[in-house]
Amino acid sequence: MILLSSDKEAGKFTFRFEQAEREWFRHILSLYPVQQSALKKASEVAGSDELLEKALADGRKKLRGDAELFLKAGKLEIDPKFNEYWDLTLTAVEIEELLQILNNVRVGLWIQLGKPEPSIEELLPTKPSEEQVRSHMIMHVCAAWQGAFMGAVDPELPGATQE
Amino acid sequence: MPDVAEPVVLPTPDISEKEKSREALEPGYLVICWDDPINTMIYVTHVFQKVFGWTREVAEKRMMEVHNNGKSVLARESLEKAEYYVHQLQMYCLHATMEKADA
């Protein structure tokens, strides 16, 4: 995925996905939400935790609807060299939503994998299962795209993927 | 017998309810962000900028506090505001909690 163009004043950013990336994008959005509850109880204050959980559930429901819209949006381009591109224009608000969606999938898969520590032994087990391999690949793609989206809205962000 | 207006009896103010309302507005709750091995530092910095409106420099400093100390108290707010911040941070899947501040 690359940043094709950006109009910061209008708050619009156009990204180009190749065909395989579009399939990845479709698959990742279809997984959302993976993380369904907080890592830890948010509050010991009576009533707060329940309220927060409900607000989060409502927020995830809204993002689920937005994920469907993202998949339907965009323009398919056919390159003369028989390459198929998918151009997707997003607003800054939509990029924030995508960041939340990508991170939910990433963190949720990490939890499902048993919250591995960032050591090579846990990240690369000797005999990984198919599920572990698939989950790690998706987590890696999500992290890469998070960097690309953050870099698009703030090119000076250290470490963010540049155009 | 002539009509006599019934005396108006005002309800006795519920002191406990008034105290609860005042308490809800006082900045007596801490918003805490905890370190974890999954959220990237650049992402956490970005989220802090978005949720709290901090500059990148401030957001990075607070992110490093989380990273180095295992957690950081990001804000001290009223109950309602603290809940709002925790909700926002958790929507970004950060490990955020709130607790009552010591007096």
Side-chain angles (χ1 to χ4, degrees), chain A residues 18-31:
Chain A
E18 297 216 10
Q19 193 175 6
E21 291 171 326
R22 186 187 177 194
E23 294 306 306
W24 271 108
F25 191 70
R26 187 198 305 271
H27 180 67
I28 288 169
L29 290 194
S30 73
L31 295 175

Side-chain angles (χ1 to χ4, degrees), chain A residues 35 38 40-43 45 48 52 55-56 96 99-100 103-104 106 110 118 146 150 154 156 158-160, chain B residues 29 34 36-40 42-43 46 49-50 56 60 79 83 86-87 90-93 95-98:
Chain A
Q35 186 190 0
K40 190 175 173 175
K41 195 173 175 186
S43 169
V45 177
S48 266
L52 279 166
L56 282 171
E96 285 307 307
L99 285 175
Q100 292 180 6
N103 209 53
N104 175 286
R106 193 162 170 272
W110 173 72
Q146 282 177 296
M150 286 189 290
D154 185 1
E156 292 176 18
Chain B
Y29 292 86
W34 301 79
D36 63 54
I38 186 62
N39 284 298
T40 61
I42 191 172
Y43 180 78
H46 174 87
Q49 285 180 265
K50 281 292 165 192
R56 186 187 317 129
E60 268 180 5
L79 174 62
E83 283 176 340
V86 169
H87 171 247
Q90 289 201 358
M91 276 304 295
Y92 279 98
C93 298
H95 189 175
T97 61
M98 58 182 274

Side-chain angles (χ1 to χ4, degrees), chain B residues 13-29:
Chain B
D14 185 341
I15 303 297
S16 64
E17 285 300 320
K18 279 176 86 173
E19 279 178 357
K20 278 183 198 168
S21 297
R22 189 175 64 234
E23 190 181 292
L25 293 172
E26 283 178 356
Y29 292 86

Side-chain angles (χ1 to χ4, degrees), chain A residues 70-113:
Chain A
F70 289 140
L71 288 170
K72 291 175 186 165
K75 188 173 62 166
L76 201 61
E77 293 281 343
I78 305 294
D79 185 273
K81 294 177 184 172
F82 306 107
N83 288 331
E84 191 178 87
Y85 296 131
W86 182 53
D87 291 347
L88 180 65
T89 298
L90 299 167
T91 65
V93 170
E94 287 169 337
I95 286 176
E96 285 307 307
E97 291 181 349
L98 273 175
L99 285 175
Q100 292 180 6
I101 289 171
L102 291 172
N103 209 53
N104 175 286
V105 171
R106 193 162 170 272
V107 173
L109 289 175
W110 173 72
I111 294 172
Q112 287 180 3
L113 287 172

Side-chain angles (χ1 to χ4, degrees), chain A residues 118-134:
Chain A
S119 68
I120 204 66
E121 291 79 19
E122 295 207 34
L123 293 171
L124 278 179
T126 313
K127 288 184 183 177
S129 67
E130 190 177 312
E131 186 201 349
Q132 284 176 314
V133 171
R134 190 190 301 269

